[in-house]
Every structure is written in C-alpha cells, then in structure tokens.
Amino acid sequence: MLSFILSAKRLVKGLWKSFKRPQFISLFTTLFLIILSGTLFYKGTEGWYWLDAMYFAVVSLIPTGVETGLYPTTTYSKVFTMIYLIVGTGVMFIMLLMLGRSIVDFSLNEEEKEEMKKRLKK
C-alpha cells in the first residue's frame, strides 16, 4: 500500500511538472479530443452506455491486451476503429513518454536534493 501511495505521489508531481510544458498541454488536449470523439462515436453508433464507450475508447489506445468484452459490430465502426487506433495510439504513446520522462526527472531531482543535503551536513 505504501508503494502505491508513493507511486501516486510521483505521478501527481510528474503530471504537475508536465502541465507546465506547452507541448504536453497540446498533446493532452489532442488526446482528450480523440477520446471524446471515440466515446461519442461508440455511444451513438454502437449504442453503448457512456462508461462502456469511454472505457473502450481509453483501453483500446493503451497496449495492455485487456479484454473489454466490447467490439465494433458494423463495418462503419470497424473502419472508424482502425483510423482511431492509428491516430490515437501514437498520441497516447508520446504523451505517456513525456509523462514518464517528467516522473523520472522528478525522481532524479529528489535524489540530487538528498545527496546535496548529505554534502551540506558534512
């Protein structure tokens, strides 16, 4: 449980640091619009509940292999999903990469601070 709390703390600080970068804000906005379009499309075309549509829109962009039990049934939905995955996966990957870099930078900064404190005490 402690490791989860510490990881969540790093994630929040990494997000905070990332949102100070204009590129990250642009990527986040683009990804938000992609997920929103996917959610609205699946809700309207497939008739899924809002949460199911959003869940499928998000999970399909993350390469986890999670079985959602949902799948597009019409030809139109299948074509949309192919385009959606090609565009969305790239944007999701770049955003996660930037977020991961911010978290690692944050961790390195914390270690540097601790080392500096030790040097000052000597």
Short mmCIF file of all heavy atoms in Angstrom, two decimals, residues 87-116:
data_model
loop_
_atom_site.label_atom_id
_atom_site.label_comp_id
_atom_site.label_asym_id
_atom_site.label_seq_id
_atom_site.Cartn_x
_atom_site.Cartn_y
_atom_site.Cartn_z
N VAL A 87 -4.34 6.79 -35.19
CA VAL A 87 -4.09 8.16 -34.75
C VAL A 87 -3.92 8.23 -33.23
O VAL A 87 -2.97 8.82 -32.72
CB VAL A 87 -5.25 9.09 -35.20
CG1 VAL A 87 -5.11 10.48 -34.61
CG2 VAL A 87 -5.33 9.15 -36.71
N GLY A 88 -4.83 7.62 -32.51
CA GLY A 88 -4.84 7.74 -31.05
C GLY A 88 -3.69 7.06 -30.35
O GLY A 88 -3.16 7.57 -29.35
N THR A 89 -3.25 5.91 -30.85
CA THR A 89 -2.16 5.19 -30.20
C THR A 89 -0.87 6.00 -30.24
O THR A 89 -0.13 6.05 -29.26
CB THR A 89 -1.95 3.81 -30.85
OG1 THR A 89 -3.18 3.09 -30.79
CG2 THR A 89 -0.88 3.02 -30.14
N GLY A 90 -0.60 6.65 -31.35
CA GLY A 90 0.60 7.48 -31.45
C GLY A 90 0.58 8.64 -30.47
O GLY A 90 1.57 8.91 -29.78
N VAL A 91 -0.55 9.31 -30.39
CA VAL A 91 -0.68 10.45 -29.47
C VAL A 91 -0.57 9.97 -28.02
O VAL A 91 0.12 10.58 -27.20
CB VAL A 91 -2.00 11.21 -29.71
CG1 VAL A 91 -2.21 12.30 -28.68
CG2 VAL A 91 -2.02 11.81 -31.11
N MET A 92 -1.23 8.85 -27.70
CA MET A 92 -1.17 8.31 -26.34
C MET A 92 0.27 7.91 -25.98
O MET A 92 0.74 8.21 -24.88
CB MET A 92 -2.08 7.08 -26.22
CG MET A 92 -2.02 6.39 -24.87
SD MET A 92 -2.73 7.32 -23.52
CE MET A 92 -4.43 6.84 -23.67
N PHE A 93 0.96 7.29 -26.91
CA PHE A 93 2.33 6.85 -26.65
C PHE A 93 3.24 8.06 -26.36
O PHE A 93 4.01 8.04 -25.40
CB PHE A 93 2.87 6.05 -27.84
CG PHE A 93 4.30 5.63 -27.67
CD1 PHE A 93 4.63 4.61 -26.80
CD2 PHE A 93 5.31 6.27 -28.37
CE1 PHE A 93 5.94 4.22 -26.63
CE2 PHE A 93 6.63 5.89 -28.21
CZ PHE A 93 6.95 4.86 -27.33
N ILE A 94 3.16 9.08 -27.18
CA ILE A 94 4.01 10.26 -26.98
C ILE A 94 3.68 10.94 -25.65
O ILE A 94 4.57 11.37 -24.92
CB ILE A 94 3.87 11.23 -28.17
CG1 ILE A 94 4.43 10.59 -29.43
CG2 ILE A 94 4.58 12.55 -27.89
CD1 ILE A 94 4.14 11.35 -30.70
N MET A 95 2.39 11.04 -25.32
CA MET A 95 2.01 11.68 -24.06
C MET A 95 2.52 10.87 -22.86
O MET A 95 3.05 11.43 -21.90
CB MET A 95 0.51 11.86 -23.96
CG MET A 95 0.14 12.81 -22.83
SD MET A 95 -1.59 12.88 -22.50
CE MET A 95 -1.76 11.50 -21.42
N LEU A 96 2.37 9.55 -22.90
CA LEU A 96 2.87 8.71 -21.81
C LEU A 96 4.39 8.77 -21.71
O LEU A 96 4.94 8.75 -20.61
CB LEU A 96 2.41 7.26 -22.00
CG LEU A 96 0.92 7.00 -21.79
CD1 LEU A 96 0.58 5.56 -22.15
CD2 LEU A 96 0.50 7.32 -20.37
N LEU A 97 5.05 8.88 -22.84
CA LEU A 97 6.50 9.03 -22.85
C LEU A 97 6.93 10.33 -22.17
O LEU A 97 7.83 10.33 -21.33
CB LEU A 97 7.03 8.98 -24.28
CG LEU A 97 8.54 8.98 -24.47
CD1 LEU A 97 9.13 7.70 -23.90
CD2 LEU A 97 8.87 9.10 -25.94
N MET A 98 6.25 11.43 -22.49
CA MET A 98 6.57 12.72 -21.86
C MET A 98 6.27 12.68 -20.37
O MET A 98 7.04 13.21 -19.56
CB MET A 98 5.80 13.85 -22.53
CG MET A 98 6.29 14.20 -23.91
SD MET A 98 5.42 15.59 -24.62
CE MET A 98 6.15 16.93 -23.68
N LEU A 99 5.16 12.05 -19.99
CA LEU A 99 4.80 11.95 -18.58
C LEU A 99 5.83 11.10 -17.84
O LEU A 99 6.27 11.46 -16.75
CB LEU A 99 3.41 11.35 -18.43
CG LEU A 99 2.90 11.16 -17.01
CD1 LEU A 99 2.86 12.49 -16.27
CD2 LEU A 99 1.53 10.52 -17.03
N GLY A 100 6.22 9.99 -18.44
CA GLY A 100 7.24 9.13 -17.82
C GLY A 100 8.55 9.86 -17.64
O GLY A 100 9.22 9.72 -16.61
N ARG A 101 8.93 10.64 -18.62
CA ARG A 101 10.16 11.42 -18.53
C ARG A 101 10.08 12.43 -17.38
O ARG A 101 11.05 12.61 -16.64
CB ARG A 101 10.43 12.14 -19.84
CG ARG A 101 11.76 12.87 -19.85
CD ARG A 101 12.03 13.52 -21.17
NE ARG A 101 12.36 12.49 -22.15
CZ ARG A 101 12.40 12.70 -23.45
NH1 ARG A 101 12.11 13.87 -23.94
NH2 ARG A 101 12.73 11.72 -24.27
N SER A 102 8.94 13.05 -17.21
CA SER A 102 8.77 14.01 -16.10
C SER A 102 8.86 13.31 -14.75
O SER A 102 9.43 13.85 -13.81
CB SER A 102 7.42 14.72 -16.22
OG SER A 102 7.40 15.56 -17.33
N ILE A 103 8.30 12.11 -14.66
CA ILE A 103 8.35 11.37 -13.40
C ILE A 103 9.78 10.96 -13.09
O ILE A 103 10.24 11.08 -11.96
CB ILE A 103 7.42 10.15 -13.44
CG1 ILE A 103 5.96 10.61 -13.46
CG2 ILE A 103 7.66 9.22 -12.26
CD1 ILE A 103 4.96 9.52 -13.73
N VAL A 104 10.51 10.49 -14.09
CA VAL A 104 11.90 10.10 -13.88
C VAL A 104 12.74 11.32 -13.51
O VAL A 104 13.57 11.25 -12.61
CB VAL A 104 12.47 9.39 -15.14
CG1 VAL A 104 13.96 9.23 -15.05
CG2 VAL A 104 11.79 8.04 -15.31
N ASP A 105 12.52 12.44 -14.20
CA ASP A 105 13.25 13.66 -13.87
C ASP A 105 12.96 14.09 -12.44
O ASP A 105 13.84 14.52 -11.72
CB ASP A 105 12.88 14.80 -14.82
CG ASP A 105 13.46 14.62 -16.21
OD1 ASP A 105 14.36 13.77 -16.37
OD2 ASP A 105 13.01 15.33 -17.13
N PHE A 106 11.70 13.94 -12.02
CA PHE A 106 11.33 14.28 -10.65
C PHE A 106 12.06 13.39 -9.67
O PHE A 106 12.60 13.86 -8.67
CB PHE A 106 9.82 14.14 -10.46
CG PHE A 106 9.39 14.18 -9.03
CD1 PHE A 106 9.41 15.36 -8.32
CD2 PHE A 106 9.01 13.02 -8.38
CE1 PHE A 106 9.03 15.39 -6.99
CE2 PHE A 106 8.63 13.04 -7.06
CZ PHE A 106 8.64 14.24 -6.36
N SER A 107 12.12 12.09 -9.95
CA SER A 107 12.81 11.16 -9.06
C SER A 107 14.29 11.48 -8.97
O SER A 107 14.89 11.43 -7.90
CB SER A 107 12.62 9.73 -9.55
OG SER A 107 11.27 9.37 -9.49
N LEU A 108 14.91 11.82 -10.11
CA LEU A 108 16.31 12.18 -10.11
C LEU A 108 16.55 13.46 -9.31
O LEU A 108 17.52 13.56 -8.57
CB LEU A 108 16.82 12.34 -11.54
CG LEU A 108 16.92 11.05 -12.36
CD1 LEU A 108 17.34 11.37 -13.78
CD2 LEU A 108 17.87 10.07 -11.73
N ASN A 109 15.65 14.41 -9.45
CA ASN A 109 15.79 15.66 -8.69
C ASN A 109 15.70 15.40 -7.19
O ASN A 109 16.41 16.02 -6.41
CB ASN A 109 14.73 16.67 -9.11
CG ASN A 109 15.02 17.25 -10.49
OD1 ASN A 109 16.15 17.21 -10.96
ND2 ASN A 109 14.00 17.77 -11.13
N GLU A 110 14.82 14.50 -6.79
CA GLU A 110 14.68 14.16 -5.37
C GLU A 110 15.99 13.54 -4.85
O GLU A 110 16.44 13.85 -3.76
CB GLU A 110 13.52 13.19 -5.15
CG GLU A 110 12.16 13.83 -5.31
CD GLU A 110 11.88 14.85 -4.22
OE1 GLU A 110 12.14 14.56 -3.03
OE2 GLU A 110 11.40 15.94 -4.56
N GLU A 111 16.59 12.64 -5.65
CA GLU A 111 17.85 12.01 -5.23
C GLU A 111 18.97 13.03 -5.15
O GLU A 111 19.81 12.97 -4.25
CB GLU A 111 18.21 10.89 -6.21
CG GLU A 111 17.29 9.70 -6.12
CD GLU A 111 17.55 8.67 -7.21
OE1 GLU A 111 18.56 8.78 -7.92
OE2 GLU A 111 16.72 7.75 -7.34
N GLU A 112 19.00 13.97 -6.10
CA GLU A 112 20.02 15.01 -6.08
C GLU A 112 19.87 15.90 -4.84
O GLU A 112 20.86 16.29 -4.23
CB GLU A 112 19.93 15.86 -7.35
CG GLU A 112 20.38 15.13 -8.60
CD GLU A 112 20.09 15.91 -9.87
OE1 GLU A 112 19.54 17.03 -9.79
OE2 GLU A 112 20.41 15.39 -10.95
N LYS A 113 18.64 16.19 -4.46
CA LYS A 113 18.40 17.01 -3.27
C LYS A 113 18.90 16.29 -2.01
O LYS A 113 19.51 16.91 -1.15
CB LYS A 113 16.90 17.33 -3.12
CG LYS A 113 16.40 18.34 -4.12
CD LYS A 113 14.91 18.54 -3.96
CE LYS A 113 14.34 19.42 -5.04
NZ LYS A 113 12.88 19.57 -4.94
N GLU A 114 18.61 15.00 -1.93
CA GLU A 114 19.07 14.22 -0.77
C GLU A 114 20.59 14.20 -0.71
O GLU A 114 21.19 14.33 0.37
CB GLU A 114 18.51 12.80 -0.83
CG GLU A 114 17.02 12.70 -0.58
CD GLU A 114 16.65 13.15 0.82
OE1 GLU A 114 17.38 12.84 1.79
OE2 GLU A 114 15.62 13.83 0.94
N GLU A 115 21.23 14.02 -1.85
CA GLU A 115 22.69 13.99 -1.90
C GLU A 115 23.27 15.35 -1.49
O GLU A 115 24.26 15.43 -0.78
CB GLU A 115 23.17 13.62 -3.30
CG GLU A 115 24.66 13.57 -3.39
CD GLU A 115 25.14 12.27 -4.01
OE1 GLU A 115 24.34 11.36 -4.19
OE2 GLU A 115 26.32 12.22 -4.30
N MET A 116 22.63 16.42 -1.93
CA MET A 116 23.09 17.77 -1.58
C MET A 116 22.97 18.00 -0.07
O MET A 116 23.87 18.59 0.53
CB MET A 116 22.25 18.78 -2.35
CG MET A 116 22.88 20.07 -2.70
SD MET A 116 24.51 19.93 -3.39
CE MET A 116 24.39 21.22 -4.53
#
